Amino acid sequence: LLALLSPAPSGGFSTCRSLDLEAARRKRIEAVRGQILSKLRLAEPPEDAPQARGALPDDVRALYNSTRELLRQRAQQRPPEDPHDYYAKELLHFPTETP
Protein backbone atom coordinates (compact mmCIF):
# COMPACT_ATOMS: atom_id res chain seq x y z
CA LEU A 1 0.00 0.00 0.00
CA LEU A 2 2.84 2.38 0.88
CA ALA A 3 4.58 1.68 -2.40
CA LEU A 4 1.49 2.69 -4.33
CA LEU A 5 0.98 6.00 -2.45
CA SER A 6 4.52 7.38 -2.48
CA PRO A 7 6.87 7.76 -5.43
CA ALA A 8 9.89 6.96 -3.21
CA PRO A 9 10.66 3.31 -2.36
CA SER A 10 9.43 2.24 1.10
CA GLY A 11 12.52 0.17 1.90
CA GLY A 12 14.31 3.20 3.38
CA PHE A 13 11.99 3.38 6.40
CA SER A 14 13.57 0.43 8.22
CA THR A 15 16.22 1.50 10.74
CA CYS A 16 16.90 -2.00 12.09
CA ARG A 17 20.25 -3.57 11.35
CA SER A 18 20.54 -7.25 10.71
CA LEU A 19 22.02 -9.21 13.59
CA ASP A 20 25.37 -10.84 12.92
CA LEU A 21 25.39 -13.84 15.27
CA GLU A 22 28.98 -14.76 14.50
CA ALA A 23 30.22 -11.28 15.42
CA ALA A 24 28.20 -11.36 18.65
CA ARG A 25 29.65 -14.78 19.47
CA ARG A 26 33.21 -13.53 18.89
CA LYS A 27 32.60 -10.48 21.09
CA ARG A 28 31.24 -12.69 23.87
CA ILE A 29 34.25 -15.00 23.68
CA GLU A 30 36.61 -12.02 23.88
CA ALA A 31 34.69 -10.64 26.86
CA VAL A 32 34.91 -13.95 28.73
CA ARG A 33 38.61 -14.25 27.85
CA GLY A 34 39.19 -10.76 29.25
CA GLN A 35 37.34 -11.63 32.47
CA ILE A 36 39.43 -14.76 32.96
CA LEU A 37 42.66 -12.86 32.38
CA SER A 38 41.63 -10.15 34.83
CA LYS A 39 40.80 -12.75 37.50
CA LEU A 40 44.26 -14.27 36.96
CA ARG A 41 45.76 -10.75 37.01
CA LEU A 42 47.35 -11.24 33.60
CA ALA A 43 47.57 -8.66 30.82
CA GLU A 44 47.68 -11.28 28.07
CA PRO A 45 47.40 -15.06 27.81
CA PRO A 46 50.55 -17.01 28.76
CA GLU A 47 52.54 -18.64 26.01
CA ASP A 48 52.08 -22.35 25.47
CA ALA A 49 54.48 -24.71 27.19
CA PRO A 50 57.33 -25.92 24.99
CA GLN A 51 56.32 -29.56 25.52
CA ALA A 52 53.50 -31.19 23.67
CA ARG A 53 50.27 -31.11 25.63
CA GLY A 54 49.99 -34.87 26.12
CA ALA A 55 53.63 -35.52 27.09
CA LEU A 56 54.46 -35.69 30.79
CA PRO A 57 57.89 -36.00 32.33
CA ASP A 58 58.66 -39.52 33.55
CA ASP A 59 59.03 -38.47 37.20
CA VAL A 60 55.60 -36.80 37.20
CA ARG A 61 54.00 -39.84 35.60
CA ALA A 62 55.70 -42.16 38.13
CA LEU A 63 54.52 -40.02 41.06
CA TYR A 64 50.95 -40.01 39.74
CA ASN A 65 50.93 -43.78 39.20
CA SER A 66 52.40 -44.53 42.64
CA THR A 67 49.87 -42.25 44.34
CA ARG A 68 47.01 -43.87 42.45
CA GLU A 69 48.25 -47.34 43.39
CA LEU A 70 48.62 -46.35 47.07
CA LEU A 71 45.05 -45.01 47.16
CA ARG A 72 43.76 -48.19 45.56
CA GLN A 73 45.55 -50.34 48.17
CA ARG A 74 44.19 -48.22 51.03
CA ALA A 75 40.67 -48.56 49.66
CA GLN A 76 41.03 -52.36 49.59
CA GLN A 77 42.34 -52.49 53.17
CA ARG A 78 39.55 -50.30 54.53
CA PRO A 79 36.65 -52.30 55.96
CA PRO A 80 33.37 -51.81 54.13
CA GLU A 81 31.25 -49.05 55.55
CA ASP A 82 28.22 -50.07 57.56
CA PRO A 83 25.16 -48.23 56.23
CA HIS A 84 23.79 -47.95 59.77
CA ASP A 85 26.81 -45.87 60.82
CA TYR A 86 25.52 -43.06 58.68
CA TYR A 87 22.26 -42.64 60.56
CA ALA A 88 21.69 -41.18 64.02
CA LYS A 89 23.41 -42.65 67.00
CA GLU A 90 22.78 -42.44 70.71
CA LEU A 91 23.74 -39.08 72.12
CA LEU A 92 25.45 -39.04 75.51
CA HIS A 93 25.23 -35.86 77.56
CA PHE A 94 27.72 -35.15 80.35
CA PRO A 95 26.85 -32.12 82.48
CA THR A 96 29.95 -30.09 83.25
CA GLU A 97 28.43 -27.65 85.72
CA THR A 98 27.20 -28.58 89.15
CA PRO A 99 23.47 -27.94 89.73
Side-chain angles (χ1 to χ4, degrees):
L1 178 67
L2 193 57
L4 294 175
L5 296 176
S6 69
S10 62
F13 289 118
S14 177
T15 58
C16 295
R17 293 185 301 166
S18 64
L19 181 63
D20 185 8
L21 293 177
E22 186 61 31
R25 183 178 148 298
R26 277 186 263 125
K27 283 184 182 180
R28 181 67 183 145
I29 289 172
E30 286 301 318
V32 170
R33 183 177 290 144
Q35 289 173 350
I36 292 170
L37 289 174
S38 70
K39 290 286 184 186
L40 296 174
R41 296 184 180 156
L42 296 174
E44 58 187 37
E47 295 182 20
D48 288 337
Q51 298 179 3
R53 273 208 137 137
L56 287 175
D58 291 336
D59 55 343
V60 173
R61 187 182 313 275
L63 178 64
Y64 172 78
N65 289 336
S66 66
T67 303
R68 195 170 83 181
E69 181 65 25
L70 179 65
L71 290 175
R72 188 183 62 76
Q73 288 175 357
R74 284 185 183 173
Q76 287 177 346
Q77 292 173 355
R78 188 178 324 137
E81 294 181 11
D82 184 17
H84 298 291
D85 281 343
Y86 179 76
Y87 299 103
K89 295 185 179 237
E90 183 179 346
L91 180 65
L92 302 175
H93 179 69
F94 299 99
T96 57
E97 297 179 1
T98 57

